[in-house]
Amino acid sequence: MPPIPVSAWLDPDWVRFIEGGVSITVASRDAANVPTLSKGYGCRVLDGDRGVRILVVGSQSMELLRDIETGGAVAAVFAEVGTHRALQLKGTDARVEMADAEDREHARRYCEGFSRNLVALGFAPGLLQGFFEYAADDLRVVAFVPVEAFLQTPGPKAGSKIGSAP
Amino acid sequence: MSTTLDAIRACLDGAIPAVIATCAPDGTPNVAYASQVEIVDCDHVALSFQFFNKTHQNVLAHPLATVLVIHPQTAARYRLYLRFERTETEGALFQRMKARLAGIASHTGMSGVFRLLGADIYRVLRIERIDAPERRRQDAERNLLPAVRLLTQRIAAATDMDALFEQTLDGLDRHFGVGHAMILLCDRARTRLYTVASRGYAASGVGSEIPFGAGIVGVVAQYRTSIRINHKAAEYAYGRAVREAALGEGAADALETAIPFPGLAEPGSQLAVPVEAGGELLGVLYAESAQDLRFSHDDEDALGAVAAALGVVVRALRDEAESEEAAEASAPAAPAADVEPVTVRRYRRDNSIFLGDDYLIKGVAGAILWRLLSGYVQDGRVDYSNRELRLDPAIGLPDVVDNLEARLILLAKRLSERADWLGIDKTGRGRFRLRVARPVQLVEHAAG
């Protein structure tokens, strides 16, 4: 059965949300179910059944990339800093790819947008500088077709499923 | 050398939320934000458990978790590999986290949503620094050791309790830049604290009271643990705490509410540490600021060291004041005869004292003043020792370890704020003199 595109079941508002200047964290686990995680540097939602591409910095994400290559299990949380609005996507077919030119451009724009949001919230300049420093050729892509989405905004509905591939 | 929890504690101050990854038994990973990561000891942390969410469910079934934290100044990243051990739902750690969470919740508009169900305790298996590039160290980072040294030296040098309190508050201001602070001492028999000294407020609030368990100061006294709140937390504000405590209390032993607590109306940061010595809780040292995120882990440690020194000296001076030295005899100055006498009233029910129509104080301090004024009116007596007051059944001190010396300081300060004709002056170790500059008429009310 071919994978079902995320746009077929996830609200377009949420699609825009995960592509925007929100904080991103990606997690996987090894064969012994030891979890690991790393920060994301942008997320692209592609047309059709091509799924999502989350950018990570390879040298910061060695365990994560190893676990994804061997197991394919992935969870990614997207959170708007300052409002706690958050969404988690899960997938089972994740793979690691090199970043292409479009991915690198997306990461660059993501860093601009996210740092603008952080500046507006009063975060320290040193933090911003440190956080957004990476070598462009160090970017890797965690690509997967999401099968489930969960609301992560704190509250009574936190953790509830807001969509899944039919 | 492996990274220690102490070395990364700035990452746990909540400026940048931590993220936690767990795994279900079927191998499905989960990743979620953690509102709070608290250091328990050198190899344990506690995470706030607020909802019965996937993270909690996962670690109950499969205890391994990994947390990602980011340094708020340098953006250095660390992964903490953890093993879940247990959930605590009461006690000092739980209370400390509950108070901090209240600040986090109100700061993020989550009051009423964030509620601490438990403190999930994890063993730290390993801490891994993620990004290799050495970041610039922040030159602006404060080193608090010189301030601790200066202030503890001033505390150790104090020879009477009044000066001790002044030195402490002045030192907090000068060496730590803490402009709003107060010292509260325990009335253990009545499980409450009274303000004995303060700095940085329009009114001193000396004599105001707060029950154990109420507000940040009351919780610190009850659980004997320090609490640091980084944002406004209405639940821990004094006004609400006292209102709630006063409602749940009988009238006979009512709280002192006529003297308002001196604290800031809406502090952005609060830090309270217990003052202890010899295993005994003596009081609470409290600092606050209008600014959010004013106090760090280091400030909490520094204030803890200051409180430890303060406790030892409070206890020594209290005990010393119980052993009186020889009285220096002197005749009291007689009040001018042509001055209008002042009526001083006592309401026996709660020992509240009024000078003319103005409320002064009640409780133990009220009973002490009444005893002194009675002696003055009957025998013209003005010189007293702490010891004889301690033994006087008319005063009814709550218990043997009650800090009589501190009560006298409170009374003397309250008098200096409310009356220019009546005062108490220290005349030696464990001795003091009543100063009366106007004729006095005493009126006692049995009821009301």
Side-chain angles (χ1 to χ4, degrees):
Chain A
M1 195 177 73
I4 313 291
V6 68
S7 56
W9 54 270
L10 186 64
D11 186 293
D13 274 353
W14 280 119
V15 172
R16 276 192 294 278
F17 178 83
I18 64 176
E19 286 194 300
V22 295
S23 171
I24 303 171
T25 311
V26 191
S28 186
R29 48 88 187 162
D30 67 11
N33 285 354
V34 177
T36 190
L37 69 177
S38 191
K39 294 307 286 183
Y41 285 77
C43 172
R44 298 172 66 198
V45 180
L46 302 187
D47 295 335
D49 58 5
R50 290 186 297 152
V52 301
R53 294 171 74 76
I54 300 177
L55 285 304
V56 298
V57 175
S59 59
Q60 295 173 8
S61 316
M62 311 237 273
E63 289 97 335
L64 177 79
L65 297 178
R66 180 201 63 203
D67 293 349
I68 281 176
E69 284 193 318
T70 51
V74 66
V77 67
F78 303 82
E80 189 166 47
V81 179
T83 67
H84 280 266
R85 189 174 175 224
L87 177 84
Q88 182 177 199
L89 293 180
K90 294 198 183 183
T92 55
D93 68 344
R95 62 205 179 275
V96 178
E97 295 180 3
M98 295 302 288
D100 62 26
E102 279 178 83
D103 295 322
R104 285 196 291 271
E105 175 58 16
H106 186 85
R108 195 190 59 75
R109 277 188 282 118
Y110 166 82
C111 290
E112 272 177 16
F114 187 35
S115 78
R116 243 194 328 270
N117 294 345
L118 294 178
V119 167
L121 288 161
F123 279 88
L127 165 76
L128 301 174
Q129 197 182 342
F131 188 83
F132 295 110
E133 267 173 19
Y134 63 85
D137 62 2
D138 200 4
L139 281 175
R140 298 290 181 276
V141 177
V142 175
F144 66 103
V145 179
V147 292
E148 287 176 307
F150 299 89
L151 185 71
Q152 296 285 112
T153 310
K157 287 187 180 157
S160 60
K161 197 186 280 192
I162 54 172
S164 60
Chain B
M1 193 180 74
S2 60
T3 307
T4 64
L5 274 178
D6 272 349
I8 62 159
R9 60 192 198 165
C11 303
L12 308 180
D13 261 338
I16 301 172
V19 196
I20 179 168
T22 57
C23 194
D26 72 356
T28 306
N30 191 80
V31 57
Y33 280 85
S35 301
Q36 202 182 358
V37 182
E38 181 89 11
I39 296 176
V40 179
D41 57 35
C42 63
D43 55 4
H44 288 87
V45 291
L47 273 69
S48 58
F49 159 41
Q50 293 150 237
F51 311 100
F52 195 80
N53 56 20
K54 196 72 187 167
T55 297
H56 195 75
Q57 206 179 319
N58 279 354
V59 296
L60 289 179
H62 172 71
L64 297 180
T66 307
V67 168
L68 178 69
V69 298
I70 301 179
H71 194 287
Q73 277 98 38
T74 65
R77 264 155 280 192
Y78 302 88
R79 269 190 287 262
L80 283 63
Y81 288 88
L82 310 176
R83 174 185 285 277
F84 174 73
E85 289 190 341
R86 66 185 186 280
T87 302
E88 289 187 3
T89 55
E90 56 175 16
L93 173 70
F94 179 81
Q95 293 296 333
R96 207 162 75 204
M97 291 183 69
K98 188 176 157 199
R100 270 189 73 189
L101 186 64
I104 294 166
S106 82
H107 175 62
T108 53
M110 288 289 161
S111 292
V113 176
F114 283 2
R115 191 169 62 89
L116 191 65
L117 296 179
D120 282 348
I121 315 281
Y122 292 82
R123 170 176 286 278
V124 180
L125 305 173
R126 172 163 67 92
I127 299 175
E128 177 186 280
R129 182 173 168 133
I130 297 170
D131 41 357
E134 250 329 297
R135 305 275 175 216
R136 315 149 291 283
R137 261 192 79 79
Q138 298 287 303
D139 291 337
E141 236 170 67
R142 290 177 307 152
N143 181 359
L144 288 169
L145 271 179
V148 168
R149 177 180 175 174
L150 285 167
L151 183 47
T152 50
Q153 281 174 338
R154 290 175 69 175
I155 285 172
T159 52
D160 72 74
M161 219 181 275
D162 197 14
L164 170 66
F165 298 149
E166 291 312 313
Q167 290 292 325
T168 304
L169 295 175
D170 184 66
L172 283 175
D173 192 357
R174 285 184 47 191
H175 309 311
F176 288 84
V178 172
H180 305 286
M182 61 189 91
I183 297 167
L184 301 99
L185 295 181
C186 286
D187 180 339
R188 288 201 305 178
R190 299 191 306 157
T191 58
R192 63 185 58 174
L193 298 127
Y194 53 93
T195 310
V196 71
S198 74
R199 192 180 175 97
Y201 304 105
S204 81
V206 163
S208 57
E209 292 184 336
I210 189 153
F212 280 21
I216 179 172
V217 167
V219 174
V220 164
Q222 184 173 347
Y223 291 92
R224 294 172 71 156
T225 182
S226 59
I227 292 182
R228 182 166 54 95
I229 305 180
N230 281 335
H231 306 283
K232 290 181 182 67
E235 296 91 318
Y236 289 82
Y238 173 78
R240 185 194 288 195
V242 167
R243 234 177 1 259
E244 284 169 0
L247 285 175
E249 197 177 13
D253 200 21
L255 271 181
E256 175 62 80
T257 50
I259 305 175
F261 190 72
L264 299 175
E266 285 196 324
S269 304
Q270 297 172 275
L271 175 55
V273 295
V275 177
E276 298 170 292
E280 181 193 343
L281 178 72
L282 300 168
V284 171
L285 179 60
Y286 174 69
E288 61 183 353
S289 166
Q291 189 191 325
D292 279 24
L293 288 165
R294 167 63 181 81
F295 303 118
S296 65
H297 279 101
D298 282 354
D299 289 298
E300 186 175 346
D301 282 348
L303 219 65
V306 168
L310 180 63
V312 169
V313 181
V314 165
R315 195 165 77 129
L317 290 174
R318 179 194 71 192
D319 295 346
E320 187 189 272
E322 297 295 308
S323 61
E324 64 195 88
E325 61 188 9
E328 44 160 314
S330 76
D338 55 343
V339 181
E340 186 80 0
V342 180
T343 303
V344 178
R345 297 172 196 280
R346 167 169 84 140
Y347 292 86
R348 202 181 286 167
R349 189 188 54 143
D350 59 359
N351 277 312
S352 55
I353 304 282
F354 289 75
L355 305 180
D357 294 328
D358 299 329
Y359 172 76
L360 179 73
I361 200 143
K362 69 179 172 188
V364 175
I368 293 171
L369 182 61
W370 189 254
R371 169 73 186 78
L372 302 180
L373 285 171
S374 301
Y376 173 75
V377 168
Q378 280 157 28
D379 312 320
R381 197 171 160 207
V382 291
D383 286 301
Y384 290 89
S385 73
N386 288 20
R387 177 180 285 181
E388 66 180 303
L389 287 187
R390 150 106 38 239
L391 300 173
D392 192 329
I395 292 170
L397 277 173
D399 61 36
V400 281
V401 293
D402 189 78
N403 197 329
L404 177 61
E405 183 73 0
R407 303 259 189 200
L408 289 167
I409 290 170
L410 185 168
L411 179 57
K413 282 193 183 170
R414 187 76 186 146
L415 283 171
S416 75
E417 289 171 6
R418 311 296 290 190
D420 55 2
W421 58 273
L422 184 61
I424 291 175
D425 303 317
K426 210 169 158 62
T427 50
R429 193 175 67 206
R431 301 201 68 86
F432 63 93
R433 178 173 301 150
L434 183 69
R435 175 167 40 78
V436 189
R438 285 174 72 173
V440 179
Q441 190 183 5
L442 299 184
V443 177
E444 181 149 33
H445 297 264

